[in-house]
């Protein structure tokens, strides 16, 4: 038995593997539910109802899917060039810092100016944080996996310092309770990003967050960038073969730094969306507990770095996460919800392995019998 890398994958396999992975995941999860004394059919019915069918479920799913979409795009942009940016988590934090800082600084200005400033602040802060490991990789050949991962911890500590350990510009010090219990400054009402009502029928009304629309726009721009620009061509060539890119005259260092900056900007936009769409305050604990940056890596892997597929996967995982929050209760422990979500992701990623590699069996050839050396004849 051998595991071989696939040079090409047939189209039917591209469709069949994700479907079979989900079926296998739900079948394996059903066994876990039976062992835990739960009814799998009723549990799955509740899962889909809370995630996609119940009133308000689709809106809540989009709320959860928005940061997953943007961090998934950030990972996909870099991974497609085989540039392993694991730092979307920290870049999202910095994007939140930049967006909330811009929103506070532009207090009193028209809403459009504040929102534009928050978007710019998130993009610039996320890109600046990602350019650091990009420069280290381009000019000193450091491992970007290690540097981006370490910077995630630095970003988390910086986020905590701004609110809990300092008298920074982002911390609210106006009241005694705010000084005793540290919290960020609340953004003005004009800094809150709008929602767009989408009527899907006489009963179903969907509130689409502004950040989700920005994510769809970013996916389109990223797809065009890779498909129709010389920069995208250079990135693809460098991802396939760095020596060939250098031989062709591609300025590889610039491409690496620019791609890291682009990836960080997308993650920073996710942080800006978290502030403008939902939180309206710099919330270190909430951002760090969510873990959207790490989840974006899973989203990008499942979507195979396709920007539009990232949107679909983010929506499905957002629904799964949203349903998981709703399932938790006295009759359904949070740990069991985590096991179900983990099994679905595990089988989905395992299916991706079968798309990239194949298992082949070959019988060992029987060795031809060796010629028996003739015994010397005694003279």
């Amino acid at each position: 038995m051998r595991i071989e890398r696939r040079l090409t994958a047939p189209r039917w396999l591209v469709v069949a593997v994700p479907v079979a992975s989900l079926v296998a995941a739900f079948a394996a999860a059903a066994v876990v539910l039976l062992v835990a004394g739960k009814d799998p059919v009723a549990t799955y019915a509740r899962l889909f109802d809370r995630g996609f069918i119940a009133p308000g479920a689709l809106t809540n799913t989009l709320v959860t899917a928005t940061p997953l979409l943007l961090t998934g795009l950030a990972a996909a942009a870099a991974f497609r060039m085989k540039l392993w940016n694991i730092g979307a988590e920290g870049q999202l934090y910095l994007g939140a810092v930049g967006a909330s800082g811009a929103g506070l600084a532009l207090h009193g200005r028209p809403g459009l100016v504040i929102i534009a400033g928050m978007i710019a602040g998130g993009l610039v802060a996320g890109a600046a944080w990602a350019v650091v490991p990009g420069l280290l990789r381009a000019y000193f050949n450091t491992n970007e996996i290690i540097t981006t991962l370490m910077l995630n911890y630095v970003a988390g500590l910086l986020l905590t310092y701004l609110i809990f350990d300092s008298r920074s510009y982002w911390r609210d010090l106006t009241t005694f309770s705010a000084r005793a219990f540290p919290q960020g400054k609340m953004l003005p009402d004009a800094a809150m990003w709008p929602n767009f009502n989408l009527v899907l029928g006489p009963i179903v009304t969907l509130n689409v967050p502004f950040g989700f629309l920005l994510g769809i726009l970013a996916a389109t721009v990223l797809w065009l960038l890779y498909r129709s620009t010389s920069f995208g061509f250079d990135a693809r060539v460098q991802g396939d073969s760095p020596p060939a890119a250098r031989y062709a005259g591609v300025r590889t260092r610039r491409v690496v730094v620019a791609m890291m900056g682009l990836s960080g900007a997308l993650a920073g936009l996710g942080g800006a969306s978290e502030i403008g769409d939902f939180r309206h305050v710099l919330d270190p604990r909430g951002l760090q507990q969510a873990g959207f940056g790490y989840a974006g890596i899973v989203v990008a892997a499942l979507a195979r770095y396709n920007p539009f597929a990232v949107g679909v996967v983010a929506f499905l995982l957002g629904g799964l996460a949203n349903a998981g929050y709703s399932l938790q209760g006295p009759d359904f422990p949070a740990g069991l919800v985590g096991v179900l979500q983990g099994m679905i992701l595990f089988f989905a990623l395992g299916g991706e392995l079968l798309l990239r590699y194949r298992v082949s069996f070959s019988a060992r050839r029987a060795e031809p019998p060796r010629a028996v050396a003739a015994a010397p004849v005694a003279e």
Side-chain angles (χ1 to χ4, degrees), residues 338-357:
V339 169
L340 295 181
Q341 293 173 337
M343 291 184 73
I344 292 173
L345 293 178
F346 174 79
F347 276 87
L349 291 175
E352 287 300 309
L353 187 67
L354 293 178
L355 273 178
R356 299 176 187 274
Y357 299 91

Side-chain angles (χ1 to χ4, degrees), residues 14-15 22 48 78 81 104 119 125 170 172 175 236 242 264 293 311 348 365:
V14 174
V15 178
L22 285 178
F48 285 106
M81 205 185 94
L104 293 171
I119 294 173
W170 287 262
D172 186 7
T175 62
R236 280 185 286 144
R365 293 181 179 177

